[in-house]
Amino acid sequence: RGHRAEIHCAGKEGRIMLAARVVSLLIGYIFGMFVSGFFLGKFKHVDLREKGSGNVGTTNTARVLGLKYGAITLLCDCLKPVLASLVVWLIFGRAYAGHIRLLILYASFGAVLGHDFPAFMKFKGGKGVATSVGLILLCFPQAFPICAVLFFSAVGITRYVSLGSILAAVGLGAQAIVMGYLGWLFYPAGNVGEAVVIAEIISVLVIILHRSNIARLKNGTENKFSLHKK
């Protein structure tokens, strides 16, 4: 009977944690759907989907609306995982203290998904780079330095923001695997594999959403970054 009771309790706890994951993901998704570049464009009476590269992220916002609005977009998109995670922490922080880091990761992941695939924009949003930066700083801070070096080195040398973003995404994926294996991720042992899988999904998503940029990089028609508004 005692063994059966333990199994029942473990099963119940597992179901509750599954529900907590789903709720955290949905909270993140709601925050992620605030695609700041799109709304800033509307504020300036510009549809960024029809200007420049057609993207609603930081780079195209800066290119079309100017550096100031690009910086605002970057900040807002980076903050989305943070704000979503704060809400999740307020809801689950006490009851699930041992798993709160994982739930924060799910909230941050949801924010990336909401930015990339916002329902109100027919699931066609940004490419999730700035939002992923917020996620990395919050959930994989030890991976940030190498990702930053890869990004800024590539952009500084080539002036291709897309190339820097792709290399940073590859850097995140590679580091997550290595750090997970070495036990350097800040998650309980039972959650490490799950955290690594989410990191790999984010890495792959960034690369897939840059497929048009990859094609332009191959044929030499990719836009180079400039601080001057066009």
Side-chain angles (χ1 to χ4, degrees):
R1 290 182 180 178
H3 182 62
R4 289 181 179 177
E6 289 178 5
I7 294 175
H8 176 73
C9 289
K12 183 179 180 181
E13 182 180 352
R15 290 191 295 272
I16 293 174
M17 270 304 299
L18 177 60
R21 287 175 173 88
V22 172
V23 170
S24 299
L25 193 72
L26 289 174
I27 289 172
Y29 184 83
I30 291 169
F31 275 89
M33 282 198 296
F34 179 78
V35 184
S36 52
F38 174 79
F39 289 110
L40 285 171
K42 288 297 184 182
F43 174 73
K44 296 288 289 183
H45 307 291
V46 174
D47 189 341
L48 290 175
R49 295 172 297 180
E50 299 175 356
K51 301 290 184 179
S53 67
N55 188 256
V56 291
T58 299
T59 305
N60 198 45
T61 303
R63 182 180 293 120
V64 176
L65 301 181
L67 189 59
K68 179 179 75 173
Y69 288 98
I72 294 172
T73 300
L74 175 64
L75 178 62
C76 290
D77 287 348
C78 284
L79 282 175
K80 290 190 289 190
V82 178
L83 296 174
S85 296
L86 177 61
V87 173
V88 166
W89 180 78
L90 290 172
I91 295 173
F92 297 115
R94 288 188 178 181
Y96 302 101
H99 298 283
I100 192 60
R101 287 197 62 84
L102 182 67
L103 296 179
I104 284 174
L105 176 56
Y106 270 91
S108 301
F109 181 35
V112 173
L113 293 177
H115 179 90
D116 292 347
F117 311 107
F120 77 95
M121 292 174 63
K122 299 181 179 179
F123 302 101
K124 295 179 180 179
K127 297 179 181 178
V129 176
T131 311
S132 295
V133 169
L135 180 148
I136 293 170
L137 287 170
L138 195 62
C139 304
F140 301 100
Q142 63 275 59
F144 180 76
I146 290 179
C147 290
V149 168
L150 290 170
F151 176 82
F152 287 110
S153 296
V155 176
I157 294 169
T158 69
R159 288 171 53 205
Y160 290 132
V161 174
S162 57
L163 179 59
S165 301
I166 292 165
L167 290 178
V170 172
L172 171 63
Q175 288 184 90
I177 292 173
V178 173
M179 290 181 178
Y181 177 77
L182 295 175
W184 292 355
L185 296 180
F186 303 146
Y187 295 92
N191 296 151
V192 169
E194 205 167 342
V196 171
V197 168
I198 291 175
E200 300 310 309
I201 293 173
I202 292 167
S203 177
V204 171
L205 261 180
V206 170
I207 295 169
I208 289 174
L209 292 172
H210 278 83
R211 59 191 180 276
S212 60
N213 302 86
I214 294 171
R216 289 195 294 270
L217 285 167
K218 286 181 178 179
N219 60 34
T221 58
E222 175 68 326
N223 294 318
K224 291 189 175 183
F225 178 73
S226 173
L227 293 178
H228 301 290
K229 179 180 175 183
K230 293 185 179 180

